[in-house]
């Protein structure tokens, strides 16, 4: 991440964008970051990267201690992608597409349920809070990682709409999946993410909740920009 190092910490504004998979939070967050000229933290990419590295190194997905150690190593070497360097590099290899598969997402969701893993990723995520501001997207950005955010958004949509969006996103990236299988995988991941004890997926009490099941991205962006305009 090419963040300027001149200001970092709690005085830097943060807008959090949480929600389940396929709710459009990634695209909306990227647009917002570009419009405001702020940094963007895709926290799901950190969970996916950890899971991917664990799979590569045959670290069991329930071995908290080994996963925490691995997270510590990754946080020292990994750089979030930027507009100048959009690739997600791990050990000199672009792993962007590998991270997008549902296999990796399901592994990320398993490791993300472990409290010690979530704790290990806290400081890593907070490190990205750098001047002039941060758009942070994920599941617990507003509830746990940045509870003092200036604005908390929670995007959601009906499960079947989200599964279809994921299907189209994956197809667009050249990843072949069966829609029926994907619906089941997305439902299982949502259930695990929202029912875990440690920082479950849920809107913060002070979040602005937007259900975008029956509208296009342009309208959602318009509503989000309105909320941002009112908050800043
Ligand atoms: O957002 P994305 O689909 O890339 O996230 C992959 C998985 O990582 C989620 O299903 C969830 O289990 C986990 N995650 C999380 N907390 C976050 C971001 C992602 O638990 N803040």
């Amino acid at each position: 991440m090419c963040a300027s190092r001149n200001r970092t910490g709690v005085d830097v504004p943060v807008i959090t964008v949480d929600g389940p998979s396929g709710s459009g939070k990634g695209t909306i967050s990227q647009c917002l970051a570009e419009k405001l000229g702020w940094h963007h933290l895709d926290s799901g990419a950190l969970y996916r990267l950890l899971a991917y590295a664990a799979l590569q190194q045959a670290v069991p997905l329930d071995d908290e201690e080994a996963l925490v150690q691995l997270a510590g190593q990754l946080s020292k070497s990994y750089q979030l992608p930027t507009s100048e360097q959009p690739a997600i590099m791990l050990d000199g290899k672009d792993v962007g597409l590998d991270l997008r598969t549902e296999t990796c997402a399901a592994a990320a969701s398993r490791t993300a349920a472990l409290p010690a893993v979530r704790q290990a990723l806290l400081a890593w995520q907070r490190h990205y809070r750098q001047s002039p501001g941060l758009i942070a997207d994920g599941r617990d950005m507003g509830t746990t990682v940045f509870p003092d955010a200036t604005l908390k958004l929670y995007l959601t949509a009906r499960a079947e709409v989200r599964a279809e969006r994921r299907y189209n996103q994956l197809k667009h990236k050249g990843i072949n999946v069966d829609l029926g299988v994907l619906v089941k995988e997305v439902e299982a991941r949502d259930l695990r993410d929202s029912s875990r004890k440690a920082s479950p997926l849920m809107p913060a009490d002070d979040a602005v909740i937007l259900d975008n099941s029956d509208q296009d991205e342009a309208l959602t962006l318009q509503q989000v920009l309105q909320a941002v305009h009112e908050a800043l």
Side-chain angles (χ1 to χ4, degrees), residues 131-143:
S131 177
L134 177 71
I135 308 296
D137 88 65
R139 303 289 187 291
D140 62 341
M141 297 294 101
T143 52

Side-chain angles (χ1 to χ4, degrees), residues 14 34 58 157 159 171 231:
V14 180
E34 270 165 34
K171 227 170 72 176

Side-chain angles (χ1 to χ4, degrees), residues 7-144:
R7 202 156 72 98
T8 179
V10 290
D11 58 336
V12 175
V14 180
I15 294 176
T16 57
V17 188
D18 287 306
S21 63
S23 58
K25 61 187 164 37
T27 316
I28 292 291
S29 299
Q30 259 168 12
C31 287
L32 262 189
E34 270 165 34
K35 276 196 185 292
L36 295 173
W38 287 12
H39 304 285
H40 174 214
L41 167 65
D42 168 7
S43 61
L46 304 188
Y47 282 94
R48 284 173 187 257
L49 190 74
L50 174 63
Y52 178 76
L55 291 172
Q56 289 291 303
Q57 298 178 27
V59 170
L61 297 179
D62 57 356
D63 186 341
E64 270 188 311
E65 210 175 301
L67 289 166
V68 166
Q69 211 183 342
L70 188 55
Q73 288 163 12
L74 289 172
S75 67
K76 288 193 191 84
S77 60
Y78 174 69
Q79 299 282 306
L80 270 184
T82 62
S83 44
E84 298 86 50
Q85 168 52 275
I88 299 186
M89 303 300 289
L90 183 66
D91 298 331
K93 183 185 165 219
D94 180 356
V95 295
L97 269 187
D98 302 284
L99 297 196
R100 288 299 119 203
T101 65
E102 262 318 295
T103 309
C104 187
S109 170
R110 277 184 62 192
T111 57
L114 303 171
V117 167
R118 304 202 70 82
Q119 186 62 32
L121 263 65
L122 259 190
W124 188 9
Q125 294 171 97
R126 287 180 178 152
H127 160 80
Y128 291 104
R129 184 175 198 166
Q130 295 189 25
S131 177
L134 177 71
I135 308 296
D137 88 65
R139 303 289 187 291
D140 62 341
M141 297 294 101
T143 52
T144 306

